[in-house]
Amino acid sequence: MIVNESAENYLETILILSKKLPVVRSVDIANELDFKKSSVSIAMKNLREKNYITVTDAGFIYLTESGSRIAQMVYERHEFISDWLIKLGVSSDIAAEDACKIEHILSQESYDAIKMFVKEHLQ
């Protein structure tokens, strides 16, 4: 499954918003990411076509099983990497920024190795 960074960010944002809001709409995503609603609408169309989300007639956005799997993976990486950087002494703002970048480019093999190393040696 090959997903670009932009799609991963949108899916992760939908997941995060779904934990905070009763329903997620395009306007909520636009506000969260500080993007134009038109840009979000195009992205939602692309995610819908790839079967990562469903959108109701009322405009409520839900992750599909495959979309949820990707969103959970990216979110888990973000949380783990951010926490790890904070434990290394990086400020929480910088750790969150860096985690956003790293979470998308790190291979699963490297991520698993880092995670195992951290759990064995740093906790």
Side-chain angles (χ1 to χ4, degrees), residues 5 7 17 27 34 43 46 66 71 89 92 99 101 106 108 110 112 116-118 122:
E5 181 177 337
L17 288 173
V27 67
D34 197 25
N46 292 335
S66 60
S92 59
K101 297 170 191 165
L106 202 57
Q108 189 63 45
S110 293
D112 289 343
M116 184 180 297
F117 179 85
V118 168
L122 300 178

Side-chain angles (χ1 to χ4, degrees), residues 76 80 84 87 111-123:
E76 190 254 317
F80 177 81
W84 175 46
K87 286 178 184 173
Y111 175 71
D112 289 343
I114 291 168
K115 191 173 172 182
M116 184 180 297
F117 179 85
V118 168
K119 286 185 176 190
E120 289 177 2
H121 296 90
L122 300 178
Q123 292 184 341

Side-chain angles (χ1 to χ4, degrees), residues 57-72:
D57 291 341
F60 303 152
I61 299 167
Y62 298 96
L63 295 169
T64 63
E65 187 177 320
S66 60
S68 182
R69 217 176 12 255
I70 294 165
Q72 293 284 357

Side-chain angles (χ1 to χ4, degrees), residues 70-88:
I70 294 165
Q72 293 284 357
M73 182 264 308
V74 174
Y75 183 71
E76 190 254 317
R77 283 178 174 222
H78 179 90
E79 291 293 299
F80 177 81
I81 294 166
S82 183
D83 289 346
W84 175 46
L85 292 171
I86 290 168
K87 286 178 184 173
L88 292 174

Side-chain angles (χ1 to χ4, degrees), residues 4-108:
N4 66 34
E5 181 177 337
S6 175
E8 287 181 350
N9 277 333
Y10 278 111
L11 294 171
E12 181 184 25
T13 299
I14 294 166
L15 175 68
I16 291 167
L17 288 173
S18 71
K19 294 174 186 247
K20 296 192 273 188
L21 303 173
V23 293
V24 178
R25 301 164 302 151
S26 288
V27 67
D28 301 318
I29 298 166
N31 290 337
E32 181 74 14
L33 297 173
D34 197 25
F35 289 171
K36 292 180 184 176
K37 188 161 179 335
S38 58
S39 299
V40 173
S41 293
I42 293 167
M44 294 306 104
K45 179 181 181 282
N46 292 335
L47 293 176
R48 199 172 52 247
E49 288 173 354
K50 293 178 179 162
N51 200 32
Y52 293 138
I53 64 168
T54 59
V55 182
T56 68
D57 291 341
F60 303 152
I61 299 167
Y62 298 96
L63 295 169
T64 63
E65 187 177 320
S66 60
S68 182
R69 217 176 12 255
I70 294 165
Q72 293 284 357
M73 182 264 308
V74 174
Y75 183 71
E76 190 254 317
R77 283 178 174 222
H78 179 90
E79 291 293 299
F80 177 81
I81 294 166
S82 183
D83 289 346
W84 175 46
L85 292 171
I86 290 168
K87 286 178 184 173
L88 292 174
V90 177
S91 72
S92 59
D93 289 343
I94 298 296
E97 279 181 42
D98 287 348
C100 275
K101 297 170 191 165
I102 296 168
E103 68 197 23
H104 301 289
I105 61 169
L106 202 57
S107 71
Q108 189 63 45

